[in-house]
Amino acid sequence: ELTRVGAPLLGTGGEVKSLAFSPDGSMLATSAFGNVITLWDVDSRSRLYSDQTERDNAFRGWPGLDFSPDGRTLAVTFESGVRLVDVTTGASLREIGAGRGDPSFSSDGTMIATALGFGGGAVVRDVATGASTATVDALPGDGQSDWTVALSPDVRTLAVGGTTRLVRLVDVRTGKLLHELDLAGTGAFSLGFSPDGRTLAWGDGAGVVL
């Protein structure tokens, strides 16, 4: 049985669709419909900042989130691209290319992976330069979309999922397809590796599967 810890965090600006804890657990980032990003101090339950950007863009989802391993940077996937935000000041540092859904930093913070949304595919980029270091092509067929990625802790494998029943495991260095996992369900909307890299969890329309 789950027990609620402390008071709820209110004032998120809308229905929360994505969450990310900082590596040390001291901060929680949320994103909501309407492109609202909020950063919270977990212990005090206080809002560190809240930002609504890209108000004029056509809505096609909600921003995805991931903290860098050192907890200093928050990656946010907006309509215009992947934005890197300084968590201390809330200032936008730079944008490094297209991406949809929750991004995934490498364990050393030097690379970041993102799905490409409508049309499918995924990309891994160098955080410092924004240059692409690996790409994953879309699956053949109409209406294929990729919305979630996860980099393994050893940064050798990228998991890619979306609206199809397949999750693809790709070698980051060569781009070679290593394995396809048939979910036999509604697709994958979130992915995550265990710390030892031996287990992959995914979330679909029916729940969470290991």
Side-chain angles (χ1 to χ4, degrees):
E1 182 180 349
L2 298 176
T3 302
R4 190 173 72 183
V5 179
L9 304 177
L10 302 176
T12 58
E15 180 184 352
V16 173
K17 302 299 291 185
S18 185
L19 299 163
F21 275 102
S22 62
D24 64 1
S26 66
M27 292 179 289
L28 176 67
T30 67
S31 75
F33 280 126
N35 294 330
V36 181
I37 303 298
T38 308
L39 188 65
W40 304 85
D41 180 281
V42 173
D43 288 338
S44 68
R45 297 296 198 273
S46 60
R47 279 188 294 177
L48 300 176
Y49 69 82
S50 183
D51 181 41
Q52 182 181 23
T53 58
E54 307 207 353
R55 299 174 181 82
D56 297 330
N57 276 1
F59 177 71
R60 295 183 180 178
W62 54 87
L65 306 167
D66 193 29
F67 279 94
S68 62
D70 62 9
R72 297 178 180 178
T73 304
L74 180 68
V76 184
T77 55
F78 283 110
E79 187 79 11
S80 63
V82 183
R83 186 172 303 167
L84 302 180
V85 177
D86 186 310
V87 300
T88 301
T89 65
S92 176
L93 300 174
R94 61 187 181 280
E95 292 187 3
I96 57 172
R100 300 306 299 268
D102 288 325
S104 179
F105 273 103
S106 62
S107 55
D108 61 3
T110 63
M111 292 187 288
I112 190 168
T114 55
L116 295 179
F118 296 109
V123 62
V124 181
R125 291 188 178 87
D126 183 283
V127 171
T129 66
S132 172
T133 61
T135 59
V136 178
D137 293 333
L139 288 169
D142 296 332
Q144 307 298 336
S145 299
D146 288 311
W147 294 97
T148 182
V149 293
L151 278 169
S152 63
D154 63 7
V155 202
R156 294 185 177 185
T157 305
L158 177 67
V160 182
T163 57
T164 73
R165 59 190 291 169
L166 297 177
V167 169
R168 287 162 287 161
L169 300 180
V170 178
D171 188 303
V172 172
R173 295 164 297 178
T174 66
K176 180 182 178 180
L177 178 66
L178 300 174
H179 195 60
E180 289 182 337
L181 305 175
D182 191 338
L183 308 188
T186 58
F189 298 101
S190 62
L191 292 166
F193 280 98
S194 61
D196 63 7
R198 300 178 65 181
T199 303
L200 179 68
W202 66 85
D204 61 17
V208 177
V209 182
L210 297 177

